[in-house]
Amino acid sequence: MTDEAGLNLFQQQEANRRRTIWLVIGFVLFFAWLGFGGDFIYYLSTREAGPRTYHHTFPWFGLLLTAIGAGIARYGFATGPNKVLWSTGARELTEPASDKERQLVNVVEEMAIAAALPRPRIWVVPDADPNAFATGLDQAKSHIAVTQGLLDLCSRDELQAVIAHELGHVKNLDVRLMTTLAALVGAVALMHDGMGRLITSGFRSGRGISSGGGGGGSRGGKKGGLGQLVIVLLVLWVITWILAPIISQFLAMAVSRKREFLADAMGAQFTRNPMALATALQKIEGAESPTSSIKRGAAHLCIADPLGRRVNLHEGGFSNLLATHPPMTARIARLKGMAYQRLKAEGQFPTA
């Protein structure tokens, strides 16, 4: 099995391991920039202060925020799957209480065997909108979650195809990358909100970084130039905080969008029934309302965008930047093409 870039399964797994490492490194470096950048701005703003006032010379902002970033990254990586499941209100299915739940357990076990994977833990999200996602850190510690709406809507073959799609993400180790990304996106959003309140309260109370005016002659000019530099750096620093959640969200979208095609293909391979996934996706796409239990931070994990955004209906341009998923019509068309090729190979269609 190869993806669109020509990578085989093992190369895809290794690429996902590398991307996860670089994602964590980038996250820590982002916090380091915020900390040491703040230290530098504070240093410049206090360098010309009087002898009895505070001079910021030790980079404790940078050291503290770098340590916080590393701690959050480690905690997010270790607890990401649990946090994702908790955020959706999912309950683990240990003792099936209905025929649909027993069917789900049977389907997961069958598809795990077909994919040559350990059986994942099974969860049900109490939401009427049909959707599903996989999360976890590796193949041995994976989770499959489906909404109650999916259980109620899909036939057995369609449910099997959806589960096979999610196990494709597990097989590729997409779940490690996307779960870590979900945890870090959430952490960035929380830090952004906290720093936003801190900056707002600082300006409201009249505390700000002085532009260093005062005096005349050459010394006044020097201080004025220094004040302008501080203001420019401060603006860039604040803009970084403002854009951080937006950039991290774009990253989540870019990471997940192209992976859906590969997971669709793997799901079709595991079930040997591409049309089942095509009809399941058609039913999911035709659902009336977004999946309210799954929030923005975990949207890129789902088989379909739980937020119901119209930007997912298109390809190219801004859609490639803003959409978490490729257009459902494109995915369905590819699956139908696979089904046609399979029937043709079996001699059910004339070759000429």
Side-chain angles (χ1 to χ4, degrees):
M1 170 63 70
T2 60
D3 70 0
E4 296 173 344
L7 298 181
N8 63 36
L9 174 62
F10 300 107
Q11 291 171 328
Q12 183 72 24
Q13 291 173 341
E14 184 58 33
N16 281 334
R17 291 188 183 97
R18 289 196 304 270
R19 291 187 185 107
T20 304
I21 293 171
W22 282 112
L23 177 65
V24 172
I25 291 174
F27 180 81
V28 175
L29 290 178
F30 168 73
F31 273 75
W33 146 246
L34 292 174
F36 289 110
D39 281 318
F40 186 59
I41 294 169
Y42 203 8
Y43 162 74
L44 291 178
S45 67
T46 60
R47 188 173 65 173
E48 302 294 336
R52 294 187 178 182
T53 56
Y54 174 72
H55 291 73
H56 187 74
T57 56
F58 186 77
W60 58 272
F61 282 144
L63 295 176
L64 178 61
L65 278 183
T66 301
I68 290 175
I72 291 175
R74 181 174 180 178
Y75 179 77
F77 181 82
T79 65
N82 293 332
K83 297 300 182 186
V84 168
L85 292 164
W86 171 82
S87 71
T88 65
R91 63 176 176 86
E92 186 169 10
L93 185 58
T94 54
E95 294 292 335
S98 67
D99 290 341
K100 290 184 180 297
E101 290 182 353
R102 279 188 286 273
Q103 177 177 268
L104 174 61
V105 172
N106 291 338
V107 163
V108 171
E109 291 175 347
E110 290 168 4
M111 288 298 95
I113 293 172
L117 290 171
R119 177 188 179 278
R121 294 167 66 179
I122 307 169
W123 302 75
V124 176
V125 179
D127 196 295
D129 190 64
N131 221 320
F133 65 88
T135 185
L137 298 179
D138 54 41
Q139 297 176 355
K141 298 178 181 178
S142 62
H143 308 261
I144 298 289
V146 303
T147 63
Q148 185 62 47
L150 187 79
L151 292 180
D152 295 337
L153 183 66
C154 289
S155 67
R156 193 184 195 283
D157 285 348
E158 291 165 348
L159 179 64
Q160 188 179 59
V162 170
I163 297 301
H165 168 100
E166 297 305 332
L167 287 174
H169 284 307
V170 174
K171 187 92 172 175
N172 289 336
L173 292 183
D174 287 343
V175 288
R176 171 182 289 186
L177 176 61
M178 295 194 294
T179 300
T180 303
L181 183 57
L184 299 187
V185 167
V188 168
L190 289 175
M191 292 294 291
H192 168 265
D193 293 342
M195 183 56 68
R197 287 191 293 270
L198 181 62
I199 292 173
T200 301
S201 63
F203 280 114
R204 284 178 179 174
S205 64
R207 296 191 301 270
I209 296 178
S210 171
S211 61
S218 60
R219 183 169 175 82
K222 179 180 178 181
K223 291 183 70 177
L226 179 61
Q228 292 174 359
L229 175 61
V230 171
I231 291 174
V232 170
L233 291 175
L234 179 61
V235 169
L236 291 175
W237 190 76
V238 172
I239 289 175
T240 302
W241 273 111
I242 294 173
L243 294 181
I246 301 174
I247 294 172
S248 62
Q249 195 67 40
F250 281 168
L251 182 60
M253 295 170 184
V255 162
S256 65
R257 189 170 171 85
K258 67 179 182 179
R259 298 176 188 279
E260 294 305 318
F261 286 123
L262 178 58
D264 285 345
M266 296 189 72
Q269 181 190 40
F270 295 154
T271 61
R272 301 184 183 277
N273 187 2
M275 279 303 300
L277 183 54
T279 57
L281 293 179
Q282 285 176 324
K283 288 183 177 181
I284 292 171
E285 180 71 1
E288 294 182 356
S289 60
T291 314
S292 58
S293 297
I294 302 175
K295 307 303 180 185
R296 185 177 300 272
H300 61 284
L301 292 169
C302 297
I303 192 170
D305 184 3
L307 306 180
R309 290 169 292 195
R310 296 182 64 85
V311 71
N312 292 292
L313 301 177
H314 308 285
E315 280 190 292
F318 286 107
S319 294
N320 289 338
L321 291 175
L322 300 177
T324 55
H325 292 68
M328 197 67 83
T329 53
R331 296 170 64 184
I332 292 170
R334 291 194 183 198
L335 288 165
K336 288 182 176 180
M338 293 178 199
Y340 174 81
Q341 293 298 327
R342 180 171 178 269
L343 292 173
K344 187 176 179 180
E346 292 175 352
Q348 299 189 38
F349 289 113
T351 57

